[in-house]
Amino acid sequence: MKAIQISHNQELQIINLEDPQQPQAGEVLLKLVYVGFCGSDINTFMGRNTMALNPVIPGHEVGAVIEAVGSDVPEYLKPGMVVTCNPYTNCGKCASCRNGRVNACQHNETLGVQRNGAMREFITLPWEKIIPAGTLDPKTSALIEPMSVGFHAVDRGQVKDIDVVVVIGCGMVGMGAIVRSVTRGATVIAADIDDEKLALAKEMGAAYAINTMTEDVHERLQEITNGFGPDVIIEAVGSPITYNLAVNEVAFTGRVVCIGYAKSEVSFQTKYFVQKELDIRGSRNANPSDFRAVIRYLERGTCPTDKLITKVVKPEECLETMQWWSKNPGKVFRILVEM
């Protein structure tokens, strides 16, 4: 079967793997229909993702159909069903797992990062990792995982209907955070450097949009919040600038939720940690409940999913696509590979 493999020196190739075997007990064989390229994949391609195998088969944003099931698989998982998958592992032994937060397992291996992923024609996974996609089609199902990461960040921020929430970074994960905050009744402010993304953020429910390149962010936030500052800021970029922006601008006793991985050290005026008595929280991956919440949202049919998909490409077009993406990093929501 055909698979896509990328390496850290801007190489991408199509390789051949052994054809899949009949699934064993407790396993489900998936036929991949669409698989999304993630931000971690372009970082791997550019040599900036130190967590990834080199080379690696990417892919953890999955829209698939069940091809076959092994024995000891629950009856609700049937051939022909459209599904996505939970692409994370958990060891069951570390502090995170012991505390029930398996999404943050110390020894997690995400598909397409620490282990070879789903950008292939077929993949076999444990049945526990298979998530039925309800009434969604495979293309929409490939958007579930990245949105769920944003949904989880909102959960970490304990967002309520009385909160003003700023989401810094309106990529796919940030859009998930915007949507989840809106569905919880919060007033949402989208912040980004791209006006097209900001326009889409407002279409997704953000009440305000701030271009951080062209506007005075502090002045705008003070104006919108009547001088209090936002209750919650979700950082979905991974830049020293945006990390500092979050800490500086969040309200006294506010919550800062960090999703983005900064590629360099970040220096803070730590006095704000104490003076504001801040809650600064990491947010990693997502829980099954986040996946279910995203599926329920997408099933409403109100999400402009066509605008979240920048390109749909064939495997043979992936190298050219990654080269283009590396030169236009701010213009991509999601690139889907049609397997």
PDB file of all heavy atoms in Angstrom, residues 74-103:
ATOM      1  N   PRO A  74     -16.332  -4.100  20.058  1.00  0.00           N
ATOM      2  CA  PRO A  74     -17.754  -3.836  20.318  1.00  0.00           C
ATOM      3  C   PRO A  74     -18.591  -3.818  19.045  1.00  0.00           C
ATOM      4  O   PRO A  74     -18.119  -3.377  17.988  1.00  0.00           O
ATOM      5  CB  PRO A  74     -17.730  -2.459  20.988  1.00  0.00           C
ATOM      6  CG  PRO A  74     -16.379  -2.365  21.615  1.00  0.00           C
ATOM      7  CD  PRO A  74     -15.458  -3.098  20.688  1.00  0.00           C
ATOM      8  N   GLU A  75     -19.823  -4.245  19.172  1.00  0.00           N
ATOM      9  CA  GLU A  75     -20.694  -4.397  18.004  1.00  0.00           C
ATOM     10  C   GLU A  75     -21.024  -3.080  17.327  1.00  0.00           C
ATOM     11  O   GLU A  75     -21.382  -3.069  16.141  1.00  0.00           O
ATOM     12  CB  GLU A  75     -21.992  -5.102  18.417  1.00  0.00           C
ATOM     13  CG  GLU A  75     -21.804  -6.573  18.762  1.00  0.00           C
ATOM     14  CD  GLU A  75     -23.129  -7.266  19.013  1.00  0.00           C
ATOM     15  OE1 GLU A  75     -24.182  -6.594  18.885  1.00  0.00           O
ATOM     16  OE2 GLU A  75     -23.126  -8.473  19.336  1.00  0.00           O
ATOM     17  N   TYR A  76     -20.918  -1.953  18.054  1.00  0.00           N
ATOM     18  CA  TYR A  76     -21.289  -0.684  17.441  1.00  0.00           C
ATOM     19  C   TYR A  76     -20.264  -0.235  16.388  1.00  0.00           C
ATOM     20  O   TYR A  76     -20.553   0.667  15.582  1.00  0.00           O
ATOM     21  CB  TYR A  76     -21.485   0.414  18.493  1.00  0.00           C
ATOM     22  CG  TYR A  76     -20.231   0.896  19.188  1.00  0.00           C
ATOM     23  CD1 TYR A  76     -19.437   1.896  18.626  1.00  0.00           C
ATOM     24  CD2 TYR A  76     -19.852   0.375  20.421  1.00  0.00           C
ATOM     25  CE1 TYR A  76     -18.290   2.348  19.268  1.00  0.00           C
ATOM     26  CE2 TYR A  76     -18.712   0.824  21.071  1.00  0.00           C
ATOM     27  CZ  TYR A  76     -17.940   1.811  20.485  1.00  0.00           C
ATOM     28  OH  TYR A  76     -16.804   2.263  21.128  1.00  0.00           O
ATOM     29  N   LEU A  77     -19.075  -0.830  16.366  1.00  0.00           N
ATOM     30  CA  LEU A  77     -18.081  -0.526  15.346  1.00  0.00           C
ATOM     31  C   LEU A  77     -18.236  -1.533  14.214  1.00  0.00           C
ATOM     32  O   LEU A  77     -17.934  -2.708  14.361  1.00  0.00           O
ATOM     33  CB  LEU A  77     -16.669  -0.590  15.937  1.00  0.00           C
ATOM     34  CG  LEU A  77     -16.355   0.456  17.015  1.00  0.00           C
ATOM     35  CD1 LEU A  77     -14.993   0.204  17.631  1.00  0.00           C
ATOM     36  CD2 LEU A  77     -16.441   1.870  16.461  1.00  0.00           C
ATOM     37  N   LYS A  78     -18.731  -1.041  13.073  1.00  0.00           N
ATOM     38  CA  LYS A  78     -19.080  -1.928  11.968  1.00  0.00           C
ATOM     39  C   LYS A  78     -18.382  -1.480  10.684  1.00  0.00           C
ATOM     40  O   LYS A  78     -18.163  -0.276  10.484  1.00  0.00           O
ATOM     41  CB  LYS A  78     -20.593  -1.933  11.736  1.00  0.00           C
ATOM     42  CG  LYS A  78     -21.412  -2.390  12.947  1.00  0.00           C
ATOM     43  CD  LYS A  78     -22.897  -2.361  12.636  1.00  0.00           C
ATOM     44  CE  LYS A  78     -23.716  -2.725  13.866  1.00  0.00           C
ATOM     45  NZ  LYS A  78     -23.439  -4.095  14.336  1.00  0.00           N
ATOM     46  N   PRO A  79     -18.050  -2.412   9.797  1.00  0.00           N
ATOM     47  CA  PRO A  79     -17.496  -2.041   8.491  1.00  0.00           C
ATOM     48  C   PRO A  79     -18.412  -1.057   7.763  1.00  0.00           C
ATOM     49  O   PRO A  79     -19.641  -1.169   7.816  1.00  0.00           O
ATOM     50  CB  PRO A  79     -17.408  -3.375   7.756  1.00  0.00           C
ATOM     51  CG  PRO A  79     -17.230  -4.378   8.853  1.00  0.00           C
ATOM     52  CD  PRO A  79     -18.087  -3.876   9.985  1.00  0.00           C
ATOM     53  N   GLY A  80     -17.791  -0.079   7.100  1.00  0.00           N
ATOM     54  CA  GLY A  80     -18.538   0.945   6.378  1.00  0.00           C
ATOM     55  C   GLY A  80     -18.815   2.191   7.189  1.00  0.00           C
ATOM     56  O   GLY A  80     -19.225   3.221   6.628  1.00  0.00           O
ATOM     57  N   MET A  81     -18.598   2.146   8.505  1.00  0.00           N
ATOM     58  CA  MET A  81     -18.865   3.299   9.368  1.00  0.00           C
ATOM     59  C   MET A  81     -17.789   4.371   9.185  1.00  0.00           C
ATOM     60  O   MET A  81     -16.597   4.075   9.137  1.00  0.00           O
ATOM     61  CB  MET A  81     -18.909   2.842  10.827  1.00  0.00           C
ATOM     62  CG  MET A  81     -19.103   3.957  11.847  1.00  0.00           C
ATOM     63  SD  MET A  81     -19.084   3.328  13.554  1.00  0.00           S
ATOM     64  CE  MET A  81     -20.707   2.561  13.621  1.00  0.00           C
ATOM     65  N   VAL A  82     -18.213   5.641   9.086  1.00  0.00           N
ATOM     66  CA  VAL A  82     -17.275   6.761   9.025  1.00  0.00           C
ATOM     67  C   VAL A  82     -16.789   7.077  10.439  1.00  0.00           C
ATOM     68  O   VAL A  82     -17.591   7.214  11.360  1.00  0.00           O
ATOM     69  CB  VAL A  82     -17.938   8.010   8.403  1.00  0.00           C
ATOM     70  CG1 VAL A  82     -16.983   9.207   8.433  1.00  0.00           C
ATOM     71  CG2 VAL A  82     -18.377   7.727   6.972  1.00  0.00           C
ATOM     72  N   VAL A  83     -15.471   7.184  10.586  1.00  0.00           N
ATOM     73  CA  VAL A  83     -14.890   7.385  11.910  1.00  0.00           C
ATOM     74  C   VAL A  83     -13.705   8.340  11.823  1.00  0.00           C
ATOM     75  O   VAL A  83     -13.160   8.606  10.750  1.00  0.00           O
ATOM     76  CB  VAL A  83     -14.410   6.047  12.528  1.00  0.00           C
ATOM     77  CG1 VAL A  83     -15.569   5.091  12.740  1.00  0.00           C
ATOM     78  CG2 VAL A  83     -13.322   5.406  11.674  1.00  0.00           C
ATOM     79  N   THR A  84     -13.309   8.822  12.978  1.00  0.00           N
ATOM     80  CA  THR A  84     -11.994   9.435  13.152  1.00  0.00           C
ATOM     81  C   THR A  84     -11.299   8.632  14.238  1.00  0.00           C
ATOM     82  O   THR A  84     -11.772   7.566  14.634  1.00  0.00           O
ATOM     83  CB  THR A  84     -12.109  10.923  13.510  1.00  0.00           C
ATOM     84  OG1 THR A  84     -10.791  11.518  13.461  1.00  0.00           O
ATOM     85  CG2 THR A  84     -12.728  11.148  14.870  1.00  0.00           C
ATOM     86  N   CYS A  85     -10.144   9.124  14.727  1.00  0.00           N
ATOM     87  CA  CYS A  85      -9.459   8.365  15.763  1.00  0.00           C
ATOM     88  C   CYS A  85      -8.826   9.295  16.782  1.00  0.00           C
ATOM     89  O   CYS A  85      -8.513  10.448  16.494  1.00  0.00           O
ATOM     90  CB  CYS A  85      -8.402   7.442  15.156  1.00  0.00           C
ATOM     91  SG  CYS A  85      -6.920   8.280  14.577  1.00  0.00           S
ATOM     92  N   ASN A  86      -8.682   8.769  17.974  1.00  0.00           N
ATOM     93  CA  ASN A  86      -7.894   9.425  19.017  1.00  0.00           C
ATOM     94  C   ASN A  86      -6.447   9.014  18.774  1.00  0.00           C
ATOM     95  O   ASN A  86      -6.108   7.839  18.955  1.00  0.00           O
ATOM     96  CB  ASN A  86      -8.386   8.964  20.394  1.00  0.00           C
ATOM     97  CG  ASN A  86      -7.650   9.626  21.533  1.00  0.00           C
ATOM     98  OD1 ASN A  86      -6.478   9.977  21.410  1.00  0.00           O
ATOM     99  ND2 ASN A  86      -8.312   9.792  22.667  1.00  0.00           N
ATOM    100  N   PRO A  87      -5.575   9.947  18.362  1.00  0.00           N
ATOM    101  CA  PRO A  87      -4.238   9.549  17.900  1.00  0.00           C
ATOM    102  C   PRO A  87      -3.175   9.490  18.982  1.00  0.00           C
ATOM    103  O   PRO A  87      -1.991   9.323  18.672  1.00  0.00           O
ATOM    104  CB  PRO A  87      -3.900  10.663  16.901  1.00  0.00           C
ATOM    105  CG  PRO A  87      -4.544  11.877  17.501  1.00  0.00           C
ATOM    106  CD  PRO A  87      -5.827  11.385  18.151  1.00  0.00           C
ATOM    107  N   TYR A  88      -3.569   9.623  20.248  1.00  0.00           N
ATOM    108  CA  TYR A  88      -2.605   9.677  21.334  1.00  0.00           C
ATOM    109  C   TYR A  88      -2.539   8.334  22.062  1.00  0.00           C
ATOM    110  O   TYR A  88      -3.517   7.605  22.128  1.00  0.00           O
ATOM    111  CB  TYR A  88      -2.988  10.772  22.343  1.00  0.00           C
ATOM    112  CG  TYR A  88      -3.595  12.003  21.724  1.00  0.00           C
ATOM    113  CD1 TYR A  88      -4.895  12.411  22.054  1.00  0.00           C
ATOM    114  CD2 TYR A  88      -2.901  12.752  20.786  1.00  0.00           C
ATOM    115  CE1 TYR A  88      -5.469  13.529  21.474  1.00  0.00           C
ATOM    116  CE2 TYR A  88      -3.467  13.869  20.194  1.00  0.00           C
ATOM    117  CZ  TYR A  88      -4.756  14.258  20.546  1.00  0.00           C
ATOM    118  OH  TYR A  88      -5.332  15.351  19.967  1.00  0.00           O
ATOM    119  N   THR A  89      -1.371   8.058  22.638  1.00  0.00           N
ATOM    120  CA  THR A  89      -1.242   6.886  23.496  1.00  0.00           C
ATOM    121  C   THR A  89      -1.161   7.334  24.955  1.00  0.00           C
ATOM    122  O   THR A  89      -0.885   8.499  25.245  1.00  0.00           O
ATOM    123  CB  THR A  89       0.027   6.069  23.174  1.00  0.00           C
ATOM    124  OG1 THR A  89       1.188   6.874  23.444  1.00  0.00           O
ATOM    125  CG2 THR A  89       0.037   5.632  21.722  1.00  0.00           C
ATOM    126  N   ASN A  90      -1.410   6.420  25.862  1.00  0.00           N
ATOM    127  CA  ASN A  90      -1.198   6.698  27.283  1.00  0.00           C
ATOM    128  C   ASN A  90      -0.701   5.437  27.967  1.00  0.00           C
ATOM    129  O   ASN A  90      -1.157   4.326  27.667  1.00  0.00           O
ATOM    130  CB  ASN A  90      -2.476   7.222  27.947  1.00  0.00           C
ATOM    131  CG  ASN A  90      -3.651   6.300  27.784  1.00  0.00           C
ATOM    132  OD1 ASN A  90      -4.291   6.258  26.732  1.00  0.00           O
ATOM    133  ND2 ASN A  90      -3.958   5.554  28.835  1.00  0.00           N
ATOM    134  N   CYS A  91       0.256   5.616  28.865  1.00  0.00           N
ATOM    135  CA  CYS A  91       0.949   4.469  29.464  1.00  0.00           C
ATOM    136  C   CYS A  91       0.182   3.853  30.621  1.00  0.00           C
ATOM    137  O   CYS A  91       0.381   2.691  30.967  1.00  0.00           O
ATOM    138  CB  CYS A  91       2.338   4.898  29.936  1.00  0.00           C
ATOM    139  SG  CYS A  91       2.327   6.022  31.368  1.00  0.00           S
ATOM    140  N   GLY A  92      -0.700   4.639  31.255  1.00  0.00           N
ATOM    141  CA  GLY A  92      -1.456   4.145  32.395  1.00  0.00           C
ATOM    142  C   GLY A  92      -0.692   4.122  33.702  1.00  0.00           C
ATOM    143  O   GLY A  92      -1.239   3.733  34.738  1.00  0.00           O
ATOM    144  N   LYS A  93       0.570   4.567  33.691  1.00  0.00           N
ATOM    145  CA  LYS A  93       1.415   4.452  34.877  1.00  0.00           C
ATOM    146  C   LYS A  93       1.984   5.780  35.369  1.00  0.00           C
ATOM    147  O   LYS A  93       2.391   5.872  36.530  1.00  0.00           O
ATOM    148  CB  LYS A  93       2.574   3.500  34.588  1.00  0.00           C
ATOM    149  CG  LYS A  93       2.139   2.096  34.207  1.00  0.00           C
ATOM    150  CD  LYS A  93       3.333   1.236  33.827  1.00  0.00           C
ATOM    151  CE  LYS A  93       2.892  -0.150  33.387  1.00  0.00           C
ATOM    152  NZ  LYS A  93       4.060  -0.978  32.971  1.00  0.00           N
ATOM    153  N   CYS A  94       2.071   6.785  34.516  1.00  0.00           N
ATOM    154  CA  CYS A  94       2.703   8.047  34.903  1.00  0.00           C
ATOM    155  C   CYS A  94       1.754   8.874  35.770  1.00  0.00           C
ATOM    156  O   CYS A  94       0.594   8.511  35.997  1.00  0.00           O
ATOM    157  CB  CYS A  94       3.120   8.841  33.669  1.00  0.00           C
ATOM    158  SG  CYS A  94       1.736   9.519  32.719  1.00  0.00           S
ATOM    159  N   ALA A  95       2.244  10.024  36.253  1.00  0.00           N
ATOM    160  CA  ALA A  95       1.433  10.870  37.128  1.00  0.00           C
ATOM    161  C   ALA A  95       0.172  11.360  36.424  1.00  0.00           C
ATOM    162  O   ALA A  95      -0.911  11.400  37.017  1.00  0.00           O
ATOM    163  CB  ALA A  95       2.265  12.059  37.614  1.00  0.00           C
ATOM    164  N   SER A  96       0.284  11.743  35.141  1.00  0.00           N
ATOM    165  CA  SER A  96      -0.892  12.218  34.404  1.00  0.00           C
ATOM    166  C   SER A  96      -1.956  11.136  34.306  1.00  0.00           C
ATOM    167  O   SER A  96      -3.145  11.390  34.550  1.00  0.00           O
ATOM    168  CB  SER A  96      -0.486  12.675  33.001  1.00  0.00           C
ATOM    169  OG  SER A  96       0.457  13.714  33.051  1.00  0.00           O
ATOM    170  N   CYS A  97      -1.534   9.947  33.920  1.00  0.00           N
ATOM    171  CA  CYS A  97      -2.487   8.841  33.801  1.00  0.00           C
ATOM    172  C   CYS A  97      -3.098   8.493  35.154  1.00  0.00           C
ATOM    173  O   CYS A  97      -4.307   8.233  35.261  1.00  0.00           O
ATOM    174  CB  CYS A  97      -1.796   7.625  33.203  1.00  0.00           C
ATOM    175  SG  CYS A  97      -1.351   7.809  31.451  1.00  0.00           S
ATOM    176  N   ARG A  98      -2.270   8.496  36.190  1.00  0.00           N
ATOM    177  CA  ARG A  98      -2.766   8.187  37.533  1.00  0.00           C
ATOM    178  C   ARG A  98      -3.835   9.185  37.962  1.00  0.00           C
ATOM    179  O   ARG A  98      -4.779   8.834  38.677  1.00  0.00           O
ATOM    180  CB  ARG A  98      -1.599   8.199  38.521  1.00  0.00           C
ATOM    181  CG  ARG A  98      -1.985   7.826  39.950  1.00  0.00           C
ATOM    182  CD  ARG A  98      -0.772   7.829  40.859  1.00  0.00           C
ATOM    183  NE  ARG A  98      -0.178   9.158  40.950  1.00  0.00           N
ATOM    184  CZ  ARG A  98       0.920   9.440  41.650  1.00  0.00           C
ATOM    185  NH1 ARG A  98       1.566   8.467  42.278  1.00  0.00           N
ATOM    186  NH2 ARG A  98       1.388  10.662  41.702  1.00  0.00           N
ATOM    187  N   ASN A  99      -3.691  10.434  37.498  1.00  0.00           N
ATOM    188  CA  ASN A  99      -4.647  11.479  37.851  1.00  0.00           C
ATOM    189  C   ASN A  99      -5.816  11.567  36.869  1.00  0.00           C
ATOM    190  O   ASN A  99      -6.633  12.485  36.954  1.00  0.00           O
ATOM    191  CB  ASN A  99      -3.938  12.834  37.922  1.00  0.00           C
ATOM    192  CG  ASN A  99      -2.973  12.915  39.087  1.00  0.00           C
ATOM    193  OD1 ASN A  99      -3.198  12.296  40.123  1.00  0.00           O
ATOM    194  ND2 ASN A  99      -1.895  13.681  38.923  1.00  0.00           N
ATOM    195  N   GLY A 100      -5.881  10.633  35.928  1.00  0.00           N
ATOM    196  CA  GLY A 100      -7.010  10.590  35.006  1.00  0.00           C
ATOM    197  C   GLY A 100      -6.901  11.544  33.834  1.00  0.00           C
ATOM    198  O   GLY A 100      -7.847  11.661  33.050  1.00  0.00           O
ATOM    199  N   ARG A 101      -5.750  12.198  33.667  1.00  0.00           N
ATOM    200  CA  ARG A 101      -5.569  13.141  32.553  1.00  0.00           C
ATOM    201  C   ARG A 101      -4.666  12.485  31.511  1.00  0.00           C
ATOM    202  O   ARG A 101      -3.539  12.910  31.263  1.00  0.00           O
ATOM    203  CB  ARG A 101      -5.025  14.458  33.077  1.00  0.00           C
ATOM    204  CG  ARG A 101      -6.076  15.197  33.902  1.00  0.00           C
ATOM    205  CD  ARG A 101      -5.529  16.288  34.764  1.00  0.00           C
ATOM    206  NE  ARG A 101      -4.938  17.373  34.005  1.00  0.00           N
ATOM    207  CZ  ARG A 101      -4.458  18.484  34.564  1.00  0.00           C
ATOM    208  NH1 ARG A 101      -4.524  18.642  35.881  1.00  0.00           N
ATOM    209  NH2 ARG A 101      -3.921  19.420  33.829  1.00  0.00           N
ATOM    210  N   VAL A 102      -5.230  11.461  30.875  1.00  0.00           N
ATOM    211  CA  VAL A 102      -4.425  10.628  29.980  1.00  0.00           C
ATOM    212  C   VAL A 102      -3.997  11.378  28.725  1.00  0.00           C
ATOM    213  O   VAL A 102      -3.039  10.972  28.054  1.00  0.00           O
ATOM    214  CB  VAL A 102      -5.199   9.346  29.599  1.00  0.00           C
ATOM    215  CG1 VAL A 102      -5.427   8.485  30.823  1.00  0.00           C
ATOM    216  CG2 VAL A 102      -6.533   9.679  28.921  1.00  0.00           C
ATOM    217  N   ASN A 103      -4.676  12.455  28.397  1.00  0.00           N
ATOM    218  CA  ASN A 103      -4.287  13.261  27.242  1.00  0.00           C
ATOM    219  C   ASN A 103      -2.899  13.866  27.414  1.00  0.00           C
ATOM    220  O   ASN A 103      -2.234  14.218  26.435  1.00  0.00           O
ATOM    221  CB  ASN A 103      -5.300  14.384  27.010  1.00  0.00           C
ATOM    222  CG  ASN A 103      -5.411  15.311  28.210  1.00  0.00           C
ATOM    223  OD1 ASN A 103      -5.888  14.903  29.272  1.00  0.00           O
ATOM    224  ND2 ASN A 103      -4.969  16.555  28.061  1.00  0.00           N
TER     225      ASN A 103
END
